[in-house]
Short mmCIF file of all heavy atoms in Angstrom, two decimals:
data_model
loop_
_atom_site.label_atom_id
_atom_site.label_comp_id
_atom_site.label_asym_id
_atom_site.label_seq_id
_atom_site.Cartn_x
_atom_site.Cartn_y
_atom_site.Cartn_z
N GLU A 1 -8.42 -8.35 2.02
CA GLU A 1 -8.26 -9.00 3.33
C GLU A 1 -8.99 -10.33 3.37
O GLU A 1 -8.46 -11.33 3.86
CB GLU A 1 -8.79 -8.07 4.42
CG GLU A 1 -7.92 -6.84 4.68
CD GLU A 1 -8.58 -5.87 5.65
OE1 GLU A 1 -9.70 -6.18 6.13
OE2 GLU A 1 -7.99 -4.82 5.92
N ARG A 2 -10.21 -10.35 2.84
CA ARG A 2 -10.99 -11.60 2.84
C ARG A 2 -10.34 -12.65 1.95
O ARG A 2 -10.33 -13.85 2.29
CB ARG A 2 -12.41 -11.31 2.35
CG ARG A 2 -13.23 -10.48 3.32
CD ARG A 2 -14.55 -10.08 2.70
NE ARG A 2 -15.19 -9.01 3.47
CZ ARG A 2 -16.11 -8.20 2.98
NH1 ARG A 2 -16.48 -8.31 1.72
NH2 ARG A 2 -16.63 -7.26 3.74
N SER A 3 -9.79 -12.23 0.81
CA SER A 3 -9.14 -13.18 -0.08
C SER A 3 -7.91 -13.80 0.56
O SER A 3 -7.61 -14.98 0.35
CB SER A 3 -8.73 -12.48 -1.39
OG SER A 3 -9.86 -12.04 -2.10
N LEU A 4 -7.21 -13.01 1.35
CA LEU A 4 -5.97 -13.48 1.96
C LEU A 4 -6.18 -14.22 3.27
O LEU A 4 -5.29 -14.94 3.74
CB LEU A 4 -5.03 -12.29 2.19
CG LEU A 4 -4.44 -11.66 0.93
CD1 LEU A 4 -3.77 -10.34 1.25
CD2 LEU A 4 -3.44 -12.61 0.28
N ALA A 5 -7.34 -14.07 3.89
CA ALA A 5 -7.62 -14.76 5.16
C ALA A 5 -7.60 -16.27 4.94
O ALA A 5 -7.98 -16.77 3.87
CB ALA A 5 -8.98 -14.31 5.69
N PRO A 6 -7.13 -17.05 5.92
CA PRO A 6 -6.69 -16.65 7.27
C PRO A 6 -5.19 -16.38 7.36
O PRO A 6 -4.62 -16.42 8.45
CB PRO A 6 -7.08 -17.87 8.09
CG PRO A 6 -6.81 -19.02 7.16
CD PRO A 6 -7.17 -18.51 5.80
N ARG A 7 -4.54 -16.17 6.25
CA ARG A 7 -3.10 -15.93 6.27
C ARG A 7 -2.79 -14.63 7.02
O ARG A 7 -3.56 -13.69 6.99
CB ARG A 7 -2.56 -15.85 4.84
CG ARG A 7 -2.87 -17.09 4.01
CD ARG A 7 -2.57 -16.85 2.54
NE ARG A 7 -3.09 -17.93 1.72
CZ ARG A 7 -4.34 -17.98 1.26
NH1 ARG A 7 -5.18 -17.00 1.55
NH2 ARG A 7 -4.73 -18.99 0.52
N SER A 8 -1.64 -14.58 7.63
CA SER A 8 -1.21 -13.38 8.33
C SER A 8 -0.80 -12.32 7.30
O SER A 8 0.05 -12.57 6.44
CB SER A 8 -0.02 -13.69 9.25
OG SER A 8 0.45 -12.52 9.87
N VAL A 9 -1.43 -11.17 7.38
CA VAL A 9 -1.17 -10.10 6.41
C VAL A 9 -0.77 -8.83 7.15
O VAL A 9 -1.39 -8.47 8.16
CB VAL A 9 -2.43 -9.82 5.55
CG1 VAL A 9 -2.14 -8.74 4.53
CG2 VAL A 9 -2.89 -11.09 4.85
N SER A 10 0.25 -8.15 6.66
CA SER A 10 0.70 -6.90 7.27
C SER A 10 -0.31 -5.80 6.99
O SER A 10 -1.19 -5.93 6.14
CB SER A 10 2.06 -6.51 6.72
OG SER A 10 1.94 -6.11 5.36
N ARG A 11 -0.16 -4.69 7.68
CA ARG A 11 -1.02 -3.52 7.44
C ARG A 11 -0.31 -2.55 6.50
O ARG A 11 -0.41 -1.33 6.64
CB ARG A 11 -1.36 -2.84 8.76
CG ARG A 11 -2.01 -3.74 9.78
CD ARG A 11 -3.35 -4.28 9.30
NE ARG A 11 -4.39 -3.27 9.32
CZ ARG A 11 -5.65 -3.50 8.98
NH1 ARG A 11 -6.02 -4.71 8.58
NH2 ARG A 11 -6.56 -2.52 9.02
N LEU A 12 0.38 -3.11 5.53
CA LEU A 12 1.07 -2.30 4.53
C LEU A 12 0.26 -2.34 3.24
O LEU A 12 -0.23 -3.39 2.82
CB LEU A 12 2.47 -2.85 4.27
CG LEU A 12 3.40 -2.92 5.49
CD1 LEU A 12 4.74 -3.54 5.09
CD2 LEU A 12 3.60 -1.54 6.10
N PHE A 13 0.14 -1.19 2.59
CA PHE A 13 -0.63 -1.09 1.35
C PHE A 13 0.20 -0.40 0.28
O PHE A 13 0.74 0.68 0.50
CB PHE A 13 -1.92 -0.30 1.58
CG PHE A 13 -2.75 -0.12 0.33
CD1 PHE A 13 -3.56 -1.14 -0.13
CD2 PHE A 13 -2.71 1.07 -0.38
CE1 PHE A 13 -4.32 -0.99 -1.29
CE2 PHE A 13 -3.46 1.24 -1.53
CZ PHE A 13 -4.28 0.21 -1.98
N ARG A 14 0.31 -1.03 -0.86
CA ARG A 14 1.00 -0.40 -1.99
C ARG A 14 -0.04 0.06 -3.01
O ARG A 14 -0.76 -0.76 -3.59
CB ARG A 14 1.99 -1.35 -2.64
CG ARG A 14 2.65 -0.76 -3.89
CD ARG A 14 3.96 -1.44 -4.21
NE ARG A 14 4.98 -1.04 -3.25
CZ ARG A 14 6.17 -1.66 -3.13
NH1 ARG A 14 6.45 -2.69 -3.90
NH2 ARG A 14 7.05 -1.24 -2.25
N PRO A 15 -0.16 1.37 -3.22
CA PRO A 15 -1.14 1.88 -4.18
C PRO A 15 -0.87 1.34 -5.59
O PRO A 15 0.27 1.35 -6.05
CB PRO A 15 -0.92 3.40 -4.14
CG PRO A 15 -0.27 3.65 -2.82
CD PRO A 15 0.59 2.45 -2.57
N PRO A 16 -1.90 0.83 -6.26
CA PRO A 16 -1.71 0.34 -7.63
C PRO A 16 -1.11 1.43 -8.53
O PRO A 16 -1.52 2.59 -8.48
CB PRO A 16 -3.14 0.00 -8.08
CG PRO A 16 -3.85 -0.31 -6.81
CD PRO A 16 -3.27 0.64 -5.79
N ALA A 17 -0.11 1.03 -9.31
CA ALA A 17 0.58 1.95 -10.23
C ALA A 17 1.24 3.11 -9.49
O ALA A 17 1.62 4.11 -10.11
CB ALA A 17 -0.37 2.49 -11.30
N ALA A 18 1.39 2.99 -8.17
CA ALA A 18 2.02 4.03 -7.34
C ALA A 18 1.29 5.36 -7.41
O ALA A 18 1.86 6.42 -7.19
CB ALA A 18 3.49 4.22 -7.74
N VAL A 19 -0.02 5.30 -7.73
CA VAL A 19 -0.83 6.52 -7.82
C VAL A 19 -1.60 6.72 -6.52
O VAL A 19 -2.33 5.83 -6.09
CB VAL A 19 -1.82 6.44 -9.01
CG1 VAL A 19 -2.74 7.66 -9.03
CG2 VAL A 19 -1.05 6.34 -10.32
N PHE A 20 -1.42 7.87 -5.90
CA PHE A 20 -2.12 8.15 -4.65
C PHE A 20 -2.35 9.65 -4.53
O PHE A 20 -1.76 10.45 -5.27
CB PHE A 20 -1.31 7.64 -3.45
CG PHE A 20 0.01 8.33 -3.26
CD1 PHE A 20 0.11 9.48 -2.48
CD2 PHE A 20 1.15 7.86 -3.88
CE1 PHE A 20 1.32 10.14 -2.32
CE2 PHE A 20 2.38 8.51 -3.73
CZ PHE A 20 2.45 9.65 -2.94
N ASP A 21 -3.20 10.01 -3.61
CA ASP A 21 -3.40 11.43 -3.29
C ASP A 21 -3.58 11.56 -1.78
O ASP A 21 -3.63 10.55 -1.06
CB ASP A 21 -4.59 12.02 -4.06
CG ASP A 21 -5.88 11.25 -3.85
OD1 ASP A 21 -5.99 10.55 -2.81
OD2 ASP A 21 -6.78 11.32 -4.71
N ASP A 22 -3.68 12.78 -1.31
CA ASP A 22 -3.78 13.01 0.14
C ASP A 22 -5.02 12.36 0.74
O ASP A 22 -4.98 11.82 1.85
CB ASP A 22 -3.78 14.51 0.44
CG ASP A 22 -2.42 15.15 0.18
OD1 ASP A 22 -1.42 14.42 0.23
OD2 ASP A 22 -2.37 16.37 -0.06
N ALA A 23 -6.13 12.40 0.00
CA ALA A 23 -7.37 11.82 0.51
C ALA A 23 -7.21 10.31 0.71
O ALA A 23 -7.67 9.75 1.71
CB ALA A 23 -8.52 12.11 -0.45
N GLN A 24 -6.56 9.65 -0.23
CA GLN A 24 -6.33 8.22 -0.12
C GLN A 24 -5.46 7.90 1.09
O GLN A 24 -5.72 6.94 1.83
CB GLN A 24 -5.67 7.69 -1.39
CG GLN A 24 -5.41 6.20 -1.38
CD GLN A 24 -4.61 5.73 -2.59
OE1 GLN A 24 -3.90 4.74 -2.54
NE2 GLN A 24 -4.71 6.46 -3.70
N LEU A 25 -4.42 8.68 1.30
CA LEU A 25 -3.54 8.47 2.45
C LEU A 25 -4.28 8.64 3.77
O LEU A 25 -4.03 7.91 4.73
CB LEU A 25 -2.34 9.43 2.37
CG LEU A 25 -1.42 9.27 1.17
CD1 LEU A 25 -0.30 10.32 1.21
CD2 LEU A 25 -0.82 7.87 1.13
N GLU A 26 -5.22 9.60 3.81
CA GLU A 26 -6.01 9.81 5.02
C GLU A 26 -6.90 8.59 5.29
O GLU A 26 -7.04 8.16 6.44
CB GLU A 26 -6.87 11.06 4.87
CG GLU A 26 -6.09 12.37 4.85
CD GLU A 26 -5.42 12.67 6.18
OE1 GLU A 26 -5.89 12.13 7.21
OE2 GLU A 26 -4.45 13.44 6.20
N VAL A 27 -7.49 8.04 4.24
CA VAL A 27 -8.35 6.86 4.39
C VAL A 27 -7.52 5.68 4.90
O VAL A 27 -7.93 4.96 5.83
CB VAL A 27 -9.02 6.49 3.06
CG1 VAL A 27 -9.76 5.15 3.18
CG2 VAL A 27 -9.99 7.58 2.63
N LEU A 28 -6.36 5.47 4.32
CA LEU A 28 -5.49 4.37 4.76
C LEU A 28 -5.12 4.54 6.23
O LEU A 28 -5.13 3.57 7.00
CB LEU A 28 -4.22 4.33 3.90
CG LEU A 28 -4.41 3.97 2.42
CD1 LEU A 28 -3.09 4.13 1.67
CD2 LEU A 28 -4.94 2.54 2.27
N ASP A 29 -4.80 5.75 6.60
CA ASP A 29 -4.42 6.02 7.99
C ASP A 29 -5.57 5.73 8.95
O ASP A 29 -5.37 5.12 10.01
CB ASP A 29 -3.98 7.49 8.11
CG ASP A 29 -3.35 7.80 9.45
OD1 ASP A 29 -2.42 7.08 9.86
OD2 ASP A 29 -3.81 8.76 10.12
N ARG A 30 -6.77 6.12 8.58
CA ARG A 30 -7.93 5.88 9.44
C ARG A 30 -8.23 4.39 9.60
O ARG A 30 -8.79 3.97 10.63
CB ARG A 30 -9.17 6.59 8.87
CG ARG A 30 -9.22 8.07 9.15
CD ARG A 30 -10.61 8.63 8.95
NE ARG A 30 -11.04 8.58 7.57
CZ ARG A 30 -10.79 9.52 6.67
NH1 ARG A 30 -10.09 10.59 7.01
NH2 ARG A 30 -11.24 9.42 5.44
N HIS A 31 -7.86 3.61 8.63
CA HIS A 31 -8.15 2.18 8.69
C HIS A 31 -6.91 1.34 9.04
O HIS A 31 -6.89 0.13 8.84
CB HIS A 31 -8.75 1.71 7.37
CG HIS A 31 -10.13 2.27 7.13
ND1 HIS A 31 -11.27 1.64 7.58
CD2 HIS A 31 -10.54 3.42 6.52
CE1 HIS A 31 -12.33 2.37 7.24
NE2 HIS A 31 -11.92 3.45 6.61
N GLY A 32 -5.90 2.02 9.58
CA GLY A 32 -4.75 1.31 10.13
C GLY A 32 -3.74 0.82 9.12
O GLY A 32 -2.95 -0.08 9.43
N TYR A 33 -3.73 1.41 7.93
CA TYR A 33 -2.77 1.00 6.89
C TYR A 33 -1.70 2.05 6.69
O TYR A 33 -1.91 3.24 6.94
CB TYR A 33 -3.48 0.76 5.56
CG TYR A 33 -4.09 -0.62 5.42
CD1 TYR A 33 -5.39 -0.87 5.83
CD2 TYR A 33 -3.36 -1.68 4.89
CE1 TYR A 33 -5.97 -2.13 5.71
CE2 TYR A 33 -3.91 -2.95 4.75
CZ TYR A 33 -5.21 -3.16 5.17
OH TYR A 33 -5.76 -4.42 5.05
N ARG A 34 -0.55 1.61 6.22
CA ARG A 34 0.55 2.51 5.86
C ARG A 34 0.86 2.32 4.38
O ARG A 34 1.07 1.17 3.92
CB ARG A 34 1.80 2.19 6.69
CG ARG A 34 3.03 3.06 6.35
CD ARG A 34 2.88 4.44 6.94
NE ARG A 34 3.98 5.33 6.57
CZ ARG A 34 5.14 5.43 7.24
NH1 ARG A 34 5.37 4.66 8.29
NH2 ARG A 34 6.06 6.30 6.86
N ALA A 35 0.86 3.40 3.63
CA ALA A 35 1.19 3.33 2.21
C ALA A 35 2.70 3.11 2.05
O ALA A 35 3.50 3.75 2.72
CB ALA A 35 0.77 4.60 1.49
N VAL A 36 3.06 2.19 1.16
CA VAL A 36 4.47 1.85 0.95
C VAL A 36 4.79 1.94 -0.54
O VAL A 36 4.10 1.34 -1.37
CB VAL A 36 4.78 0.41 1.44
CG1 VAL A 36 6.23 0.06 1.16
CG2 VAL A 36 4.46 0.28 2.91
N LEU A 37 5.83 2.67 -0.87
CA LEU A 37 6.33 2.68 -2.25
C LEU A 37 7.73 2.07 -2.23
O LEU A 37 7.90 0.90 -2.04
CB LEU A 37 6.30 4.09 -2.84
CG LEU A 37 4.90 4.63 -3.13
CD1 LEU A 37 4.96 6.01 -3.76
CD2 LEU A 37 4.12 3.68 -4.02
N GLY A 38 8.76 2.88 -2.41
CA GLY A 38 10.12 2.34 -2.39
C GLY A 38 11.12 3.38 -2.82
O GLY A 38 10.76 4.51 -3.17
N SER A 39 12.38 3.04 -2.79
CA SER A 39 13.43 3.97 -3.19
C SER A 39 14.16 3.50 -4.44
O SER A 39 15.02 4.21 -4.96
CB SER A 39 14.44 4.15 -2.05
OG SER A 39 14.97 2.90 -1.65
N THR A 40 13.84 2.32 -4.93
CA THR A 40 14.37 1.83 -6.21
C THR A 40 13.24 1.10 -6.93
O THR A 40 12.31 0.60 -6.29
CB THR A 40 15.56 0.87 -6.02
OG1 THR A 40 15.14 -0.23 -5.20
CG2 THR A 40 16.74 1.56 -5.39
N TYR A 41 13.35 0.99 -8.27
CA TYR A 41 12.22 0.51 -9.04
C TYR A 41 12.62 -0.56 -10.06
O TYR A 41 13.78 -0.84 -10.26
CB TYR A 41 11.51 1.70 -9.68
CG TYR A 41 10.88 2.55 -8.62
CD1 TYR A 41 11.56 3.64 -8.08
CD2 TYR A 41 9.65 2.22 -8.08
CE1 TYR A 41 11.01 4.39 -7.05
CE2 TYR A 41 9.09 2.95 -7.05
CZ TYR A 41 9.77 4.03 -6.55
OH TYR A 41 9.23 4.76 -5.51
N PRO A 42 11.62 -1.20 -10.73
CA PRO A 42 11.83 -2.45 -11.47
C PRO A 42 13.02 -2.54 -12.42
O PRO A 42 13.59 -3.60 -12.57
CB PRO A 42 10.52 -2.62 -12.24
CG PRO A 42 9.51 -1.99 -11.36
CD PRO A 42 10.22 -0.79 -10.78
N PHE A 43 13.38 -1.44 -13.12
CA PHE A 43 14.48 -1.57 -14.08
C PHE A 43 15.84 -1.52 -13.42
O PHE A 43 16.87 -1.42 -14.08
CB PHE A 43 14.39 -0.48 -15.16
CG PHE A 43 14.14 0.90 -14.61
CD1 PHE A 43 15.16 1.64 -14.06
CD2 PHE A 43 12.86 1.44 -14.66
CE1 PHE A 43 14.93 2.91 -13.58
CE2 PHE A 43 12.63 2.72 -14.17
CZ PHE A 43 13.65 3.46 -13.63
N ASP A 44 15.88 -1.63 -12.09
CA ASP A 44 17.15 -1.60 -11.36
C ASP A 44 18.09 -2.73 -11.76
O ASP A 44 19.30 -2.61 -11.64
CB ASP A 44 16.91 -1.68 -9.85
CG ASP A 44 16.04 -0.55 -9.38
OD1 ASP A 44 15.98 0.47 -10.08
OD2 ASP A 44 15.40 -0.69 -8.34
N THR A 45 17.53 -3.86 -12.20
CA THR A 45 18.39 -5.00 -12.54
C THR A 45 19.26 -4.70 -13.74
O THR A 45 20.35 -5.24 -13.88
CB THR A 45 17.53 -6.23 -12.84
OG1 THR A 45 16.53 -5.89 -13.81
CG2 THR A 45 16.85 -6.72 -11.57
N SER A 46 18.79 -3.84 -14.64
CA SER A 46 19.58 -3.51 -15.81
C SER A 46 20.32 -2.19 -15.67
O SER A 46 21.31 -1.95 -16.33
CB SER A 46 18.68 -3.43 -17.07
OG SER A 46 17.67 -2.46 -16.88
#
């Protein structure tokens, strides 16, 4: 957040390497973030 300030940043968080657990999701929720993954992935172009 500090690195991106003062730019407008959404409250969306993508877990690095798409690795997460329930405890992480609870922490994100408490701090106003929503975890985001996706329904399609990088090799979709090929």
Side-chain angles (χ1 to χ4, degrees):
E1 289 173 0
R2 291 172 195 159
S3 295
L4 290 168
R7 304 168 190 86
S8 177
V9 182
S10 70
R11 304 298 287 181
L12 301 178
F13 178 79
R14 175 158 287 168
V19 176
F20 65 89
D21 55 23
D22 289 336
Q24 181 187 153
L25 297 178
E26 291 293 338
V27 172
L28 294 173
D29 189 52
R30 281 197 293 273
H31 291 272
Y33 276 90
R34 178 76 184 273
V36 178
L37 289 182
S39 56
T40 57
Y41 293 93
F43 46 79
D44 302 338
T45 51
S46 58

